[in-house]
Amino acid sequence: MRKRIRDYGVVIGKHQPGPLNKLSDVPGVLVGHATVDTKEHKTGVTVILPSQDNLFANKLTAAAYVHNGFGKTTGVLQIEELGTLETPIALTNTLNVGLVQDALVDYMLKRCREDQISVSSVNAVVGECNDSYLNNIRDRVLGKEHVFEAITSACTDFEEGDVGAGKGTSCFGMKGGIGSASRVLKIGGADFVIGVLVQSNFGSTENFILNGAMVGRELEKKISERQKDEGSIMMVVGTNLPVSDRQLKRLIRRAGVGLSRCGSYMGHGSGDIMLGFSTANRFYYKETNPFFQTRMLREEELDPAFEAAAEATEEAILNSLSMAHTVTGYHGRTRYSLTDLYLADWEKGR
């Protein structure tokens, strides 16, 4: 049985996590997976549903930041321009982005037909990591049924590790995957949540840092095929904090701090993408008033949120590693888990 990094006694940062210590601690957020696990294919799709109502009709504040753009993400352009999210967020492998986007459009069109909402365009948001080391990516085995499966199976206490879009990913030369964490903040007498979910597929082995300890060089001795700082990582930050899209962009950029704390310098071949949404303000399709009324946090109150985003990202990455199993995939290649390579022995020696 896999354990999360906190179960090993590793506590990241000073802020308290939410009840599940996952992105889904943000009220209304669900996450679902569909996984393809065969001898040649280790891949899948992960879908984040920021709310259960119709997102096209009730848009959310959103932001995106491309730290290093070696990636194939869709939907970022309109988020950058309008600052809103109108579909769930799907994560998958590089060559399946188009197929998953098509399925996500189908899902939203179906939902809008059911809700009697006229649609002529929809901005489906899909992120990716290249899982071709363990997955025969050229077969493009994911289809509409997998996206719909991920959506219908979405829940609060979702799986982590080598599941969904993280089934075939590699991280620091080990088995990467899906990881999540959250932090709770008290601002103005009210509690707010910042949650992070990552799809980890990045980092050079020698640079890996575990809660400030440089363990990468020790791990290099156990890994026959070391990894350079390349691949990708998708970082999705969700919150119920009332922020503008500009403030949200400032917030999600701090996910890069958590990324660096794990040892990444965001190398040439790495796509390091941050996506974010806030559920606090909604922009209603049927609104007739020419003015929207929104709440926005004072700029001076953002520092704790910046800290929380960095902490949750670091812990989410470590959870993606500790919750992953050792996986053998395409061409008999193997990525060993952090647990099998290091954590199990480290825990015995504490």
Side-chain angles (χ1 to χ4, degrees), residues 102-122:
D102 190 54
L104 201 53
V105 169
D106 279 352
Y107 167 76
M108 288 307 303
L109 292 178
K110 177 177 180 292
R111 184 73 188 266
C112 287
R113 281 195 301 271
E114 293 170 350
D115 295 339
Q116 298 183 323
I117 295 169
S118 177
V119 178
S120 60
S121 176
V122 63

Side-chain angles (χ1 to χ4, degrees), residues 65 76 114 132-133 187-188 215 270 299 303 314 327-328 339 341:
Y65 182 67
V76 168
E114 293 170 350
S132 59
Y133 185 82
I187 301 175
V215 301
S270 184
E299 218 75 23
D303 275 345
E314 181 181 1
V327 173
T328 299
T339 298
L341 285 169

Side-chain angles (χ1 to χ4, degrees), residues 103-325:
L104 201 53
V105 169
D106 279 352
Y107 167 76
M108 288 307 303
L109 292 178
K110 177 177 180 292
R111 184 73 188 266
C112 287
R113 281 195 301 271
E114 293 170 350
D115 295 339
Q116 298 183 323
I117 295 169
S118 177
V119 178
S120 60
S121 176
V122 63
N123 186 51
V125 180
V126 183
E128 55 79 28
C129 290
N130 192 317
D131 58 13
S132 59
Y133 185 82
L134 294 174
N135 174 49
N136 187 352
I137 195 170
R138 290 171 292 277
D139 283 349
R140 303 209 296 162
V141 295
L142 296 171
K144 178 178 176 178
E145 68 274 17
H146 298 103
V147 177
F148 276 64
E149 177 188 340
I151 292 170
T152 56
S153 68
C155 61
T156 53
D157 198 9
F158 55 90
E159 292 183 76
E160 296 171 283
D162 53 305
V163 64
K167 182 62 192 180
T169 59
S170 303
C171 189
F172 292 107
M174 299 173 284
K175 185 66 196 75
I178 299 296
S180 193
S182 71
R183 295 294 185 269
V184 178
L185 303 174
K186 187 173 287 292
I187 301 175
D191 287 338
F192 297 95
V193 180
I194 293 175
V196 175
L197 181 144
V198 301
Q199 178 191 15
S200 66
N201 190 57
F202 71 98
S204 64
T205 307
E206 68 172 342
N207 289 329
F208 176 57
I209 299 171
L210 175 57
N211 197 24
M214 304 283 293
V215 301
R217 291 184 181 178
E218 181 180 344
L219 288 169
E220 270 197 315
K221 300 171 186 176
K222 302 179 180 181
I223 298 174
S224 57
E225 190 168 344
R226 301 164 187 171
Q227 186 170 313
K228 297 186 294 183
D229 199 341
E230 60 186 15
S232 283
I233 180 169
M234 294 299 308
M235 294 161 278
V236 181
V237 181
T239 185
N240 60 346
L241 199 63
V243 289
S244 68
D245 60 299
R246 178 189 57 77
Q247 290 177 320
L248 184 60
K249 185 169 185 176
R250 295 187 70 202
L251 176 62
I252 67 175
R253 285 167 56 189
R254 270 58 183 187
V257 177
L259 182 60
S260 293
R261 285 177 181 169
C262 291
S264 174
Y265 58 85
M266 288 146 259
H268 158 70
S270 184
D272 309 293
I273 315 296
M274 298 110 172
L275 302 174
F277 62 85
S278 169
T279 62
N281 294 309
R282 306 301 298 270
F283 303 95
Y284 298 106
Y285 175 80
K286 293 184 178 180
E287 178 63 63
T288 57
N289 191 319
F291 300 99
F292 281 111
Q293 289 189 338
T294 61
R295 293 177 67 211
M296 189 178 82
L297 190 69
R298 288 178 60 232
E299 218 75 23
E300 294 80 7
E301 301 292 335
L302 280 169
D303 275 345
F306 290 165
E307 292 176 345
E311 289 181 13
T313 303
E314 181 181 1
E315 187 164 349
I317 292 167
L318 294 176
N319 280 334
S320 77
L321 290 160
S322 70
M323 288 296 288
H325 297 82

